[in-house]
Amino acid sequence: MSWFIRKEKGISTPTEMKREAPDGLWYQCPNCKKIMQTKEHKMNAYTCEHCNYHEKVGSEAYFEILFDHNEFTELDADLTSADPLNFKDTKAYPDRIRATMAKTGLKDAVRTGHGKMNDLNIVIACMDFNFIGGSMGSVVGEKIARAIDYALKNKQPFLMISRSGGARMMEAGFSLMQMAKTSAKLALLSEAGIPYVSLLTDPTTGGVTASYAMLGDFNISEPEALIGFAGPRVIRETIGKDLPKGFQSAEFVLEHGFLDFIVDRKDLKDKLTSLIKMIQ
């Protein structure tokens, strides 16, 4: 091994000659801590190839996964929140909205669009948790209602992808009104015989769970998603008891009859296509 021994001391490599991996080349799974290439992670529908952990993603990723060639027409893209209550906590509500829009590149906590999924026409509404915790405000309810109107007018199936912490406290009663509005629109969809599939992702809680997220012709979920009304910590502190193992996980909810099935994100597009063809 003499050829491996460095005989000269103080050898250093100039900075410009150093070769480092570009930022974002590797992805570390937060669940199993194993490493995989970011490109492979994306091709795997943002799931871990080692433990199948489903990374929390937003509308951009779901639209890319579901719409053929990522081609779709966005609905009501410029709809933004007003400030009906002149609400202020640590900052004024309009300032919070503007800051969140600048940070996320989103207009609000839901995006809606229509396009083709395996050559089937479909309307999709997808929530973004990065926008104030995916909270349900007036814009969220209005965009979902308008997307349902489009599905009704064009007789296209409707997919709702929920990921939310619940009602938006900055809009108080205006937020809670969205539960009734979206539920009424979904009733019209049901009367017209147009399929509605609700996909619950991690987490789906609060007023969203209590309204449109649980009103699908089929209610489905991704593996291990948190699904409930109040959070586990709140329930534990209220009843003063430890909760059952896996409480409010998708698997627990499925076992107790509140879900139809759990679907792996890698199979989501094909499963949805088969489901819609079956019930159309």
Side-chain angles (χ1 to χ4, degrees):
M1 296 292 291
S2 58
W3 58 270
F4 190 71
I5 298 173
R6 175 174 286 179
K7 295 181 179 180
E8 296 184 30
K9 305 292 185 181
I11 296 176
S12 61
T13 304
T15 302
E16 64 271 13
M17 297 294 292
K18 292 181 179 179
R19 295 291 182 263
E20 295 182 356
D23 290 340
L25 184 62
W26 300 99
Y27 166 81
Q28 183 177 33
C29 174
N31 184 54
C32 69
K33 307 303 180 185
K34 292 185 178 179
I35 304 291
M36 61 187 293
Q37 285 191 335
T38 301
K39 182 179 178 180
E40 291 181 2
H41 182 242
K42 182 178 179 180
M43 292 175 62
N44 213 39
Y46 302 94
T47 63
C48 179
E49 63 182 12
H50 304 289
C51 68
N52 202 39
Y53 173 77
H54 282 51
E55 181 68 42
K56 298 175 179 64
V57 296
S59 57
E60 182 179 1
Y62 280 110
F63 284 180
E64 183 181 7
I65 290 167
L66 295 174
F67 284 121
D68 295 345
H69 313 297
N70 197 24
E71 295 175 356
F72 61 93
T73 301
E74 188 169 354
L75 298 169
D76 305 299
D78 296 322
L79 210 61
T80 56
S81 293
D83 185 20
L85 302 177
N86 296 316
F87 188 92
K88 184 176 182 179
D89 44 35
T90 54
K91 64 171 67 174
Y93 183 41
D95 294 339
R96 186 177 298 281
I97 289 289
R98 283 191 290 269
T100 308
M101 288 170 62
K103 181 180 179 180
T104 64
L106 301 165
K107 296 291 186 180
D108 213 284
V110 70
R111 287 176 72 205
T112 56
H114 64 89
K116 289 187 178 292
M117 180 182 71
N118 285 334
D119 290 325
L120 286 177
N121 289 316
I122 190 169
V123 182
I124 301 177
C126 182
M127 303 192 74
D128 282 284
F129 195 82
N130 288 339
F131 199 100
I132 314 184
S135 51
M136 178 184 62
S138 300
V139 168
V140 169
E142 183 64 18
K143 291 184 73 169
I144 293 171
R146 293 188 187 186
I148 295 170
D149 284 339
Y150 184 92
L152 276 166
K153 181 180 178 181
N154 295 277
K155 300 189 184 309
Q156 295 180 8
F158 179 62
L159 170 66
M160 182 72 228
I161 304 174
S162 297
R163 185 174 174 224
S164 173
R168 186 171 298 178
M169 68 174 185
M170 301 86 164
E171 296 187 23
F174 289 93
S175 173
L176 297 178
M177 287 166 62
Q178 309 314 308
M179 297 171 64
K181 180 166 72 177
T182 52
S183 299
K185 288 290 186 180
L186 288 171
L188 296 177
L189 208 63
S190 178
E191 289 174 9
I194 297 173
Y196 166 44
V197 179
S198 176
L199 172 64
L200 292 81
T201 68
D202 185 30
T204 302
T205 59
V208 170
T209 308
S211 54
Y212 53 81
M214 280 294 188
L215 293 176
D217 296 315
F218 283 88
N219 297 323
I220 65 178
S221 174
E222 291 182 341
E224 299 182 359
L226 172 67
I227 301 168
F229 182 69
R233 178 182 57 80
V234 174
I235 296 174
R236 188 184 299 109
E237 290 177 356
T238 301
I239 66 175
K241 294 181 180 179
D242 289 331
L243 303 172
K245 185 178 180 181
F247 180 69
Q248 291 186 323
S249 68
E251 290 73 16
F252 184 93
V253 176
L254 175 66
E255 183 181 344
H256 289 78
F258 285 89
L259 285 177
D260 292 293
F261 59 88
I262 294 172
V263 59
D264 191 296
R265 193 183 294 154
K266 295 184 289 296
D267 304 323
L268 180 60
K269 187 173 182 177
D270 291 337
K271 287 281 183 71
L272 285 171
T273 303
S274 299
L275 184 61
I276 290 169
K277 284 182 175 179
M278 181 178 70
I279 61 179
Q280 261 187 329

